[in-house]
Amino acid sequence: MELKQLYNQIIVENSRAQWNRHKVDNHTVSLEGVNPSCGDDIVLELRVVDRVIEDAGFVGDGCAISQASASIMIDLIKGKTVEEAKKLMNLFFAMIKGEIKDEAQIDELQEATALQGISHMPARVKCAVLAWHTLEEALE
Amino acid sequence: MTQNQMLHDFPVLTVPENGKRLIYLDNAATTQRPRQVLNAISSYYEKDNANPYRGVYELAARATEVHERARASVAEFVHAKPEEVVFTQNTTESLNLLAYSYGMEFIKEGDEIALSVAEHHSNLVPWQRVARAKGAVLRYLYPDKSGHLTKEEITQKIGPKTRLIAIAHVSNVLGLEAPITEIVRQARKAGAVVVLDCAQSIPHMPVDVKALDVDFAAFSGHKLYGPMGIGVLYGKKELLEKMPPFLSGGDMIQSVHEQSVTFGEVPRKFEAGTRNVGGEVGLEAAINYISSIGYNSIMNHEKDLMEYAVKNLNEIPYVTIYGEPVAKSRHGVISFNVNDVHPHDTASILDAEGVAVRAGHHCAQPLMEFLKITACCRASFAIYNSREDIDALVSGIKNVRRWMGLGT
């Protein structure tokens, strides 16, 4: 594994980003996501009105990968409809599983493509998908 | 024996990974096994394998002999009687056996179970379940700033209501040895039994259950250069005798009728079903291996490693060591964090340099809460580690903050 792939500039910067790190006023969903084996723990809050994600934020504690992934995810889904968010989510899971062959498809994930390298690092996959699995449950 | 000669005994450590030798510093999770152990296991399956205590033919008799010889070797190793040694799968199963057979039977409403906040989940969750089921109270002993349990804490928390004390001989996070003599003395006054979790002590120091005068002790083969799936529960014979069986079924009985059963003698009463004789043989070979090196050499070598590691880690200004930042009384384990970097990121960066350390809560979440951290890195040593391994750890750590965009 190339460390440059794992700790690229986008991930390192987003891991410390503060703009999505907050509670959401009048949230309609608040859900905790935990990785029991390592103790990574986030709370994702969403305000969904008429199936549009008006606002999203998270608080929590975890490694750079889990925190960057959460922040990048929120940038992506804010303002999107639930359906659009689910589409991005499935695309993200497919990218992490290494299932996407068409690179143009990945572009929709914007900064989240910085996490593509994780697919070669099985031990860290769970960090990258924590926020996204929490979103999956929150949108149920 | 030189370090290089010893390394030769451990095949996994001599096979290069990505062109480099693996620097394995996760020995508190599991050690690697020497050829002597691997050979003993395959030799058992090649020459002596049958189901002990069942067949009347010669091979079955030999398997029975091997099974009981392994028990006798373990007993001698910890200074117990053979009938006081119960084979289990691991420390966790040993402690669960105790929780169900001793705890559920003899702990009553209002009784107190004392344990240290530094307990591994295996020596904590089973007692939590006993306490909840029986209406007993869990009382935690907290370490002082240096990570040690003080005499005051022991006399304050272990009192007339205490019925059982469950304590790790050595903490899997702080590496510090619990003051067992003091705890046993207080337990005797209270009339409580002492359960000693030796999983993290027996790889680094001799354990003499008689000299320690504990009532029960548990350890795993796989942390002691033996195979996975074999563990030991030691219990004083008179206590084992009054405990009901944990698992029931084949070969733990004296006789079974449609509506009744009488159980076998200890320790077989606690060994239901076909046993892991291959694992027992591997554990016996591991004990022989350790004995051939001798605990004195092991302790001297590991003491040197610990002093070297503590000195070098202390010199890095952005490393925080948990527990007393001195080598004294620290056994095999040192936990730390690189400031402002999550331990998983530190461990991944070290991994890229071929250094394997553990990162996480180490199955000791209450201790993490007490230390006000969510996780940390842990480097843990074994007989095959050398100063060069610690040099690799230290040099890896020096790159961590740069990778995380924090300068030096």
Side-chain angles (χ1 to χ4, degrees), chain A residues 3-4 6-7 12 16 36-40 61-65 121 124, chain B residues 342 344-346 348-349 351-352 358 360-361 365 374-375 403-406:
Chain A
L3 272 181
K4 268 182 226 151
L6 191 63
Y7 294 108
V12 169
R16 281 194 288 274
S37 63
C38 59
D40 284 354
D61 181 64
C63 64
I65 307 297
M121 244 215 121
R124 301 303 299 274
Chain B
H342 194 278
H344 288 154
D345 298 315
T346 302
S348 276
I349 293 165
D351 176 43
R358 172 94 181 262
H361 52 56
Q365 279 186 300
T374 50
W403 276 109
M404 299 310 296
L406 294 166

Side-chain angles (χ1 to χ4, degrees), chain B residues 26-45:
Chain B
D26 193 18
N27 296 289
T30 196
T31 49
Q32 303 299 339
R33 296 99 187 76
R35 280 175 214 284
Q36 290 81 341
V37 167
L38 303 174
N39 292 343
I41 297 167
S42 63
S43 164
Y44 166 73
Y45 283 113

Side-chain angles (χ1 to χ4, degrees), chain B residues 154-155 158-159 165 181-191:
Chain B
I154 291 164
T155 45
I158 302 171
I165 301 144
T181 315
E182 200 58 48
I183 287 169
V184 171
R185 187 181 302 140
Q186 193 66 13
R188 295 293 166 250
K189 264 197 246 170

Side-chain angles (χ1 to χ4, degrees), chain B residues 43 62 84 108-109 159 161 167 189 199 215 315 343 395 408:
Chain B
S43 164
R62 210 149 69 220
E84 294 175 319
K108 304 280 181 253
E109 196 175 342
K161 285 187 175 175
I167 191 99
K189 264 197 246 170
D215 299 285
E315 278 171 8
S395 106
T408 53

Side-chain angles (χ1 to χ4, degrees), chain A residues 39-55:
Chain A
D40 284 354
D41 188 354
I42 63 160
V43 176
L44 176 68
E45 291 193 342
L46 305 174
R47 187 169 68 243
V48 183
V49 177
D50 297 331
R51 299 200 63 76
V52 172
I53 301 169
E54 283 188 356
D55 197 7

